[in-house]
């Protein structure tokens, strides 16, 4: 069941009633049992047999985690870590990348004039697999690095992985961020409830009003952005619209996830922090899909050498990390290219930084680099959204076309209304971060919450599935 | 001290709630005032009236859900019972779905007592899904009317595939979701109108009412949007094109299977659009429609040859003057005319005579 459904509303109200009835105080084992049961029902409601995958991953990681902690032999510790990584990555490769790798092998062999028809398997991607495998894997890696101790109870570990608020599309929560909260004393407070409702309303607003309405334009007109000699205004508007759609879609999901978790007495990590005010590529990745970017930083970039070693080693680590980050989003060349763009941008920025480019305090340089960063991010979205590299490159080329196509441009224009909330959100954050205006107070949230709730009732668009469900 | 801190916290929360309430109330009042002044820009939950003596499934277009298929395939609601009782079942893709209109079909049933059910769906499905229905519910009508338009194919549309794979529980949940969503939104918008601002498809939801008694399209609220660019149906053309060997094999097997259960097949051909260059010029400004035109790939008259090959009776109607609203599907007036003309011819057929004789 999707967050945007009446089934979920009823389901959540039942769980919330359980929270009031079972878990208002300290002794909350029944409450956790109820949350576990609810989470399994939630995930089983998509396709029941996917629960077996979830159980398989968690059993392997729970077992491996204990064995790693118990063992003093580095060889054994490493073996159990490899077992955990193999199980998780194996599942991911099988369900997500098998056909891609098969097609890729055909392409590579054809370069050597070896003709081979790659098999194609009809494999459905289990929902949320990219998220829960990463989450489960981080647990065993953290134990291996002696950062956390293994969880004694399998059921609590299972709840950590499959807690329904973050199971399908994140945030990717680490064990150290959630497991301790199971023991935390929780009280029902009005302020917490209001904050939770505010997060849910704002999440629904960004998903159902902003992302869904923009999605109608993007879905209808994207292919026209790639038409021969299409005037630049069309692909440019579409790219801006898509950048707002994907942000609002994923922000919406994350806000709802945080809000529902909040109402149930848990705090999930922040996943988005106004990424379109980032003034450097490095900053962008501290603001966009924060839990994924910190995951790949801690478990991929740093093990690859991170910032240590020669320039070449650092650049290679950056490129590999970003290519794999692209591949994480989907088994397609477009996502790899998107990762490549960001990898190259980070490398280039690092070269400039090493050469003291950013040490000059010139406002002009800052503004210039901000524009470069955001323009590159926009170009990246073209590859992210396109069906194939050909379509993406045609849209990219059209960005430099002259002329004006009033008919198509005017047809897209009304969609730009829904860019306004994204602009306001980012402008407010920029002014707050600069210290020019204070952080939003509860009264302001009351005002904005009322506007968003009314907008939700009166401006919702056609319901599209969350974009990140496909990852 | 402690008490003053909690008092101040309480005051802040109270103030926030007051601000919330006042803002929301102002928005609501202004929204209603706007709706009064600009009714075309704000939808107040009203839809055209329909015959209250029929039952309908209201389907919202553009929402990627085939609720009619879910209901029919899993026997939710009373549609499938009506299909089981029907003397004549209509099968095919979206062309017969739009062509056989409820009003005309009901008139025919009232006149003759012959019960008709339109099992065609608007999602491009053909034999594969039709057979799934027939087997699932042991449908054995006296006559099957098949619209031959790539009908004898084993392929399922994404919607047909999804329907068969989803299972009863998912179908039930989705259908309930849909009904509840309609019910709530319908009432919600009486107080909070839905604004057209920035909406690609306008403020009013695009809906189709499908009768659960005849399976036919009873009402829709989108065809008028196409009124200025109607496309005439294709001219009669003779063609040698007919079924592929695989299609022929599938067709003969199906004919045999139906004959074994005492069901007679009649072929028909619902007229559809043309890729005529004059119209292409009119449509070239709208890329979506341009694509539709480009897809109008073959003249529909190939069914003449197909009927002869399969030795099946064929009922076609004079399509002169008929128009489609989108290049593919008949508009309301043409569909009503088609339905009347079809059943007039049908009544003169030997199959209908046998059917009428068997009626008490």
């Amino acid at each position: 069941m999707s967050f945007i459904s009446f089934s979920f509303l009823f389901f959540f109200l039942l769980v919330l009633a359980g929270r009031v009835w079972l878990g208002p105080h300290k002794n909350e084992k029944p409450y956790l049992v109820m949350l576990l049961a609810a989470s399994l029902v939630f995930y089983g409601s998509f396709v029941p047999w996917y629960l077996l995958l979830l159980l398989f991953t968690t059993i392997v990681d729970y077992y491996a985690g204990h064995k790693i902690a118990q063992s003093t032999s580095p060889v054994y510790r490493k073996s159990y870590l490899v077992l955990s990584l193999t199980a998780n990555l194996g599942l991911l490769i099988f369900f997500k990348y098998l056909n891609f790798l098969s097609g890729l092998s055909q392409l590579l062999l054809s370069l050597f004039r070896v003709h081979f028809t790659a098999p194609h398997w009809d494999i459905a991607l289990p929902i949320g697999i990219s998220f829960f495998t990463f989450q489960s894997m981080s647990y065993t890696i953290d134990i291996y690095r002696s950062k956390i101790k293994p969880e004694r109870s399998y059921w609590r570990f299972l709840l950590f992985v499959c807690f329904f608020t973050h199971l399908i599309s994140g945030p990717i929560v680490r064990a150290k961020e959630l497991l301790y909260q199971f023991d935390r004393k929780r009280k029902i407070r009005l302020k917490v409830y209001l904050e939770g409702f505010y997060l849910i309303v704002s999440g629904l607003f960004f998903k159902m009003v902003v992302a869904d309405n923009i999605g109608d334009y993007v879905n209808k007109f994207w292919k026209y952005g790639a038409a021969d000699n299409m005037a630049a205004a069309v692909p440019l508007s579409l790219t801006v619209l898509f950048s707002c759609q994907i942000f609002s879609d994923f922000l919406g999901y994350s806000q709802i996830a945080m809000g529902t978790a909040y109402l149930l007495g848990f705090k999930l990590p922040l996943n988005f922090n106004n990424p379109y005010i980032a003034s450097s590529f490095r900053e962008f990745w501290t603001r966009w899909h924060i839990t994924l970017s910190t995951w790949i930083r801690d478990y991929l970039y740093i093990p690859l050498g991170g910032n240590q070693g020669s320039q070449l080693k650092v650049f290679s680590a950056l490129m590999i990390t970003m290519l794999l980050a692209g591949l994480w989003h989907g088994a397609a060349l477009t996502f790899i290219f998107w990762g490549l763009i960001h990898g190259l941008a980070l490398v280039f920025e690092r070269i400039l930084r090493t050469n003291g480019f950013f040490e000059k305090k010139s406002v002009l340089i800052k503004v210039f680099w901000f524009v470069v960063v955001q323009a590159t991010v926009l170009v990246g979205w073209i590859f992210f959204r396109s069906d194939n590299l050909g379509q993406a490159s045609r849209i990219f080329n059209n960005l430099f076309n002259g002329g004006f196509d009033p008919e198509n441009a005017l047809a897209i224009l009304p969609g730009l209304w829904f860019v306004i909330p994204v602009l306001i959100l980012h402008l407010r954050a920029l002014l707050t971060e600069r210290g020019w205006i204070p952080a939003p107070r509860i009264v302001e949230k009351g005002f904005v919450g009322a506007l968003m709730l009314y907008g939700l009732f009166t401006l919702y668009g056609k319901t599209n599935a969350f974009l990140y469900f496909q990852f | 001290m402690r008490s003053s801190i909690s008092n101040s916290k309480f005051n802040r929360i109270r103030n926030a709630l007051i601000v919330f309430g006042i803002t929301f109330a102002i928005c609501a009042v202004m929204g209603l005032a706007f709706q009064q002044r600009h009714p075309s820009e704000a939808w107040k939950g009203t839809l055209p009236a329909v015959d209250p003596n029929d039952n309908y499934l209201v389907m919202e277009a553009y929402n990627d859900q085939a609720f009619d298929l879910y209901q029919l395939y899993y026997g939710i609601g009373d549609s499938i019972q009506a299909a089981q009782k029907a003397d004549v079942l209509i099968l095919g893709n979206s062309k017969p779905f739009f062509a056989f209109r409820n009003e005309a079909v009901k008139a025919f049933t009232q006149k003759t007592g012959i019960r008709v059910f339109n099992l065609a769906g608007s999602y491009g499905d053909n034999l594969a899904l039709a057979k799934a229905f027939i087997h699932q519910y042991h449908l054995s009508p006296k006559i099957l009317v098949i619209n031959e338009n790539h009908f004898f194919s084993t392929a399922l549309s994404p919607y047909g595939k999804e329907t068969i794979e989803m299972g009863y529980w998912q179908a039930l949940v989705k259908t309930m979701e849909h009904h509840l969503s309609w019910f709530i939104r319908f009432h919600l918008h009486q107080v909070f109108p839905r604004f057209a601002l920035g909406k690609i498809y306008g403020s009013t939801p695009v809906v189709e009412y499908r009768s659960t008694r005849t399976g036919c399209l009873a009402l829709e609220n989108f065809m008028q949007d196409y009124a200025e660019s109607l496309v005439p149906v294709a001219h009669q053309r003779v063609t040698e094109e007919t079924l592929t060997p695989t299609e022929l094999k599938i067709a003969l097997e199906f004919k045999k299977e139906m004959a074994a259960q005492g069901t007679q097949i009649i072929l028909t051909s619902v007229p559809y659009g043309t890729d005529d260059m004059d119209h292409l010029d009119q449509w070239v400004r709208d890329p979506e429609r341009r694509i539709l035109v480009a897809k109008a790939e073959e003249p529909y008259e190939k069914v003449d040859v197909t009927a002869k090959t399969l030795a099946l009776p064929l009922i076609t109607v004079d399509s002169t003057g008929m128009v489609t609203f989108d290049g593919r599907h008949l508009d309301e007036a043409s569909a009503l005319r088609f339905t009347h003309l079809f059943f007039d011819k049908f009544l003169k057929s030997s199959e209908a005579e046998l059917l009428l004789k068997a009626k008490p």
Side-chain angles (χ1 to χ4, degrees):
Chain A
M1 70 191 93
S2 164
F3 278 177
I4 313 292
S5 67
F6 287 103
S7 320
F8 181 76
L9 179 67
F10 290 130
F11 166 83
F12 183 67
L13 288 176
L14 275 177
V15 177
L16 198 59
R19 192 251 184 284
V20 175
W21 185 48
L22 288 170
H25 297 301
K26 200 175 177 182
N27 181 12
E28 297 189 285
K29 199 174 174 186
Y31 178 51
L32 296 182
V33 171
M34 181 203 68
L35 284 184
L36 178 61
S39 298
L40 294 174
V41 168
F42 176 79
Y43 194 59
S45 72
F46 291 100
V47 177
W49 80 264
Y50 287 167
L51 281 171
L52 296 177
L53 294 178
L54 197 63
L55 293 174
F56 169 75
T57 311
T58 49
I59 287 170
V60 169
D61 288 334
Y62 176 75
Y63 173 76
H66 273 275
K67 287 292 177 188
I68 290 168
Q70 283 164 10
S71 178
T72 50
S73 154
V75 178
Y76 275 114
R77 284 168 62 82
K78 199 165 253 178
S79 308
Y80 284 112
L81 179 67
V82 169
L83 171 75
S84 160
L85 298 184
T86 311
N88 286 293
L89 295 175
L91 276 183
L92 209 52
I93 289 169
F94 178 78
F95 284 103
K96 198 167 175 176
Y97 301 110
L98 199 61
N99 284 319
F100 174 71
L101 292 174
S102 170
L104 200 62
S105 62
Q106 181 179 334
L107 186 75
L108 291 175
L109 285 171
S110 71
L111 294 177
F112 298 100
R113 298 190 177 179
V114 177
H115 297 292
F116 152 73
T117 308
H120 183 90
W121 294 275
D122 191 11
I123 303 169
L125 182 69
I127 195 161
I129 191 167
S130 305
F131 289 89
F132 71 71
T133 48
F134 266 43
Q135 204 159 277
S136 200
M137 244 188 315
S138 71
Y139 167 79
T140 45
I141 300 171
D142 281 351
I143 294 174
Y144 179 77
R145 290 175 175 176
S146 305
K147 284 188 173 175
I148 56 166
K149 288 181 177 167
E151 170 56 51
R152 276 170 300 153
S153 156
Y154 168 71
W155 302 111
R156 282 161 60 98
F157 173 65
L158 180 60
L159 177 59
F160 148 66
V161 176
C162 77
F163 186 28
F164 69 87
T165 57
H166 65 72
L167 175 62
I168 304 300
S169 287
I172 301 170
V173 187
R174 313 271 181 94
K176 66 179 178 192
E177 290 169 327
L178 191 60
L179 274 171
Y180 84 93
Q181 295 190 45
F182 293 161
D183 297 319
R184 208 177 54 173
K185 192 173 174 181
R186 275 179 289 272
K187 278 185 181 171
I188 294 172
R189 289 198 180 96
L190 180 63
K191 197 185 168 201
V192 171
Y193 268 57
L194 291 177
E195 186 65 32
F197 281 119
Y198 177 79
L199 283 168
I200 292 173
V201 168
S202 66
L204 289 171
F205 177 83
F206 274 98
K207 166 63 185 155
M208 293 174 69
V209 177
V210 181
D212 284 350
N213 277 309
I214 290 178
D216 285 342
Y217 288 90
V218 173
N219 293 342
K220 182 172 179 185
F221 289 101
W222 192 260
K223 54 184 177 286
Y224 310 135
D228 289 341
N229 297 318
M230 181 59 81
V234 173
L236 187 64
S237 314
L238 285 169
T239 311
V240 170
L241 283 175
F242 179 67
S243 70
C244 292
Q245 184 199 356
I246 189 150
F247 167 72
S248 306
D249 191 278
F250 204 8
L251 172 79
Y253 186 92
S254 300
Q255 298 273 77
I256 300 168
M258 284 172 72
T260 48
Y262 221 60
L263 291 180
L264 296 174
F266 298 92
K267 195 173 179 189
L268 298 184
L270 189 70
N271 220 11
F272 288 90
N273 185 18
N274 306 292
Y276 297 141
I277 58 170
S279 54
S280 70
F281 291 105
R282 195 167 65 176
E283 191 189 347
F284 178 80
W285 284 102
T286 61
R287 291 173 177 273
W288 178 271
H289 203 170
I290 299 165
T291 56
L292 175 69
S293 50
T294 50
W295 198 101
I296 55 176
R297 182 198 64 200
D298 293 347
Y299 301 110
L300 191 60
Y301 179 62
I302 292 173
L304 284 170
N307 295 336
Q308 309 298 318
S310 66
Q311 287 279 51
L312 190 67
K313 203 176 167 198
V314 174
F315 294 163
S316 310
L318 270 174
M319 289 306 298
I320 293 170
T321 305
M322 293 317 295
L323 284 174
L324 289 174
L327 197 60
W328 178 88
H329 285 86
L333 290 173
T334 46
F335 293 117
I336 295 177
F337 214 83
W338 175 74
L340 183 75
I341 290 171
H342 278 277
L344 285 172
L346 284 165
V347 167
F348 185 61
E349 188 175 76
R350 200 174 172 85
I351 293 170
L352 289 178
R353 184 166 281 119
T354 323
N355 291 311
F357 181 75
F358 297 107
E359 281 166 19
K360 294 163 196 162
K361 300 283 179 194
S362 161
V363 177
L364 205 66
I365 287 181
K366 282 184 179 168
V367 172
F368 166 73
W369 194 244
F370 168 78
V371 174
V372 169
V373 169
Q374 294 304 331
T376 311
V377 168
L378 277 182
V379 169
W381 290 136
I382 296 176
F383 288 86
F384 195 93
R385 171 61 178 79
S386 292
D387 298 332
N388 50 57
L389 286 179
Q391 188 185 54
S393 61
R394 283 194 299 278
I395 293 179
F396 180 71
N397 287 335
N398 285 343
L399 284 176
F400 304 99
N401 269 348
F404 185 57
D405 180 351
E407 201 126 353
N408 279 309
L410 287 174
I412 299 172
L413 209 59
L416 294 173
W417 277 108
F418 298 102
V419 172
I420 293 172
V422 180
L423 281 178
I424 292 174
L425 184 78
H426 282 79
L427 191 64
R428 175 94 183 58
L430 183 71
L431 296 176
T432 308
E433 286 183 18
R434 293 287 156 102
W436 293 341
I437 55 169
R441 293 191 181 139
I442 191 167
V443 173
E444 184 186 330
K445 285 185 175 179
F447 174 70
V448 176
L451 291 181
M452 287 197 292
L453 187 65
Y454 188 73
L456 195 59
F457 286 169
T458 54
L459 284 168
Y460 63 88
K462 177 193 122 179
T463 303
N464 297 297
F466 284 102
L467 291 177
Y468 263 69
F469 271 21
Q470 62 190 292
F471 307 135
Chain B
M1 186 66 184
R2 194 182 165 82
S3 147
S4 72
I5 287 171
S6 46
N7 270 346
S8 114
K9 260 188 183 177
F10 174 78
N11 285 342
R12 281 203 297 269
I13 291 172
R14 188 196 60 192
N15 291 346
L17 288 172
I18 290 170
V19 167
F20 175 87
I22 291 172
T23 311
F24 193 79
I26 290 171
C27 287
V29 171
M30 283 172 66
L32 281 172
F34 178 83
Q35 200 279 332
Q36 293 288 323
R37 281 175 161 251
H38 307 280
S40 63
E41 293 295 307
W43 183 60
K44 217 183 162 188
T46 47
L47 285 168
V50 284
D51 179 1
N53 296 318
D54 207 339
N55 280 342
Y56 306 97
L57 170 64
V58 185
M59 293 184 297
E60 206 170 343
Y62 312 124
N63 73 354
D64 303 327
Q65 306 273 324
F67 297 106
D68 49 346
L69 293 190
Y70 308 157
Q71 291 211 176
L72 277 165
Y73 192 74
Y74 292 101
I76 300 164
D78 55 358
S79 305
I80 200 66
Q81 285 90 331
Q84 282 171 321
K85 287 176 192 162
D87 304 301
V88 177
L89 267 186
I90 300 164
L91 302 180
N93 53 20
S94 55
K95 294 185 181 78
F97 171 73
F98 282 102
F100 287 95
R101 298 285 294 212
N102 189 46
E103 194 184 315
V105 168
K106 280 203 304 188
F108 171 76
T109 302
Q110 272 177 356
K111 186 174 139 191
T112 61
I114 297 173
R115 287 167 296 194
V116 179
F117 193 89
N118 192 351
L119 204 51
S122 58
Y123 315 98
D125 275 295
N126 277 313
L127 179 67
L129 190 67
K131 271 177 94 166
F133 280 121
I134 289 168
H135 294 158
Q136 173 100 332
Y137 290 101
H138 310 289
L139 301 177
S140 54
K142 304 283 183 300
I143 293 169
L144 275 183
V145 174
I146 290 175
N147 179 58
E148 203 330 74
N149 181 231
H150 306 292
F151 181 80
F152 297 104
S153 147
T154 51
L156 283 167
S157 75
Y159 296 103
K161 192 166 182 273
E162 185 206 14
T163 303
I164 289 174
E165 287 175 356
M166 72 169 42
Y168 177 80
W169 175 247
Q170 285 284 347
L172 185 69
V173 169
K174 282 188 182 237
T175 313
M176 300 280 281
E177 275 274 342
H178 175 65
H179 289 315
L180 191 62
S181 164
W182 249 115
F183 177 80
I184 291 176
R185 284 188 291 149
F186 195 78
H187 288 89
L188 179 86
H189 291 312
Q190 317 274 327
V191 187
F192 307 109
R194 185 169 189 257
F195 300 119
L197 177 80
K199 292 217 167 40
I200 202 164
Y201 301 117
S203 63
T204 308
V206 175
V207 291
E208 293 167 1
Y209 283 69
R210 186 170 187 172
S211 165
T212 59
R213 294 184 184 160
T214 65
C216 294
L217 180 64
L219 187 87
E220 34 61 37
N221 65 346
F222 57 88
M223 282 189 190
Q224 70 273 15
D225 297 344
Y226 295 82
E228 286 177 13
S229 54
L230 295 172
V231 184
V233 299
H235 299 296
Q236 294 284 326
R237 273 189 272 178
V238 178
T239 172
E240 292 301 313
E241 190 183 356
T242 183
L243 302 174
T244 65
T246 315
E247 285 175 333
L248 181 64
K249 187 172 170 243
I250 293 168
L252 289 170
E253 278 173 10
F254 184 62
K255 184 186 165 192
K256 196 173 160 190
E257 185 188 335
M258 290 300 101
Q261 67 171 41
T263 301
Q264 168 73 53
I265 296 175
I266 294 177
L267 292 186
T268 187
S269 179
V270 174
Y272 61 95
T274 172
D275 54 356
D276 182 82
M277 288 307 289
D278 293 339
H279 270 88
L280 190 63
D281 190 45
Q282 278 180 27
W283 284 20
V284 79
R285 286 286 160 198
D286 186 331
E288 194 167 61
R289 294 184 190 176
R290 185 167 65 209
I291 282 168
L292 283 169
V293 171
K295 279 183 180 171
E297 69 274 24
E298 90 283 353
Y300 60 87
E301 291 76 18
K302 73 170 190 174
V303 79
D304 291 290
V305 186
T306 306
K308 278 180 200 154
T309 313
L310 295 174
L312 288 173
L314 170 70
I315 298 178
T316 53
V317 302
D318 177 11
S319 61
T320 311
M322 287 187 187
V323 289
T324 66
F325 68 91
D326 62 351
R328 311 291 283 167
H329 309 101
L330 295 178
D331 79 332
E332 187 182 356
S334 301
L336 281 168
R337 206 178 113 209
F338 172 85
T339 317
H340 285 301
L341 288 173
F342 176 88
F343 283 115
D344 285 349
K345 276 199 168 184
F346 174 77
L347 273 180
K348 290 172 191 157
S349 69
S350 54
E351 292 78 14
E353 271 177 34
L354 284 172
L355 198 58
L356 285 170
K357 272 182 196 166
K359 287 265 164 201

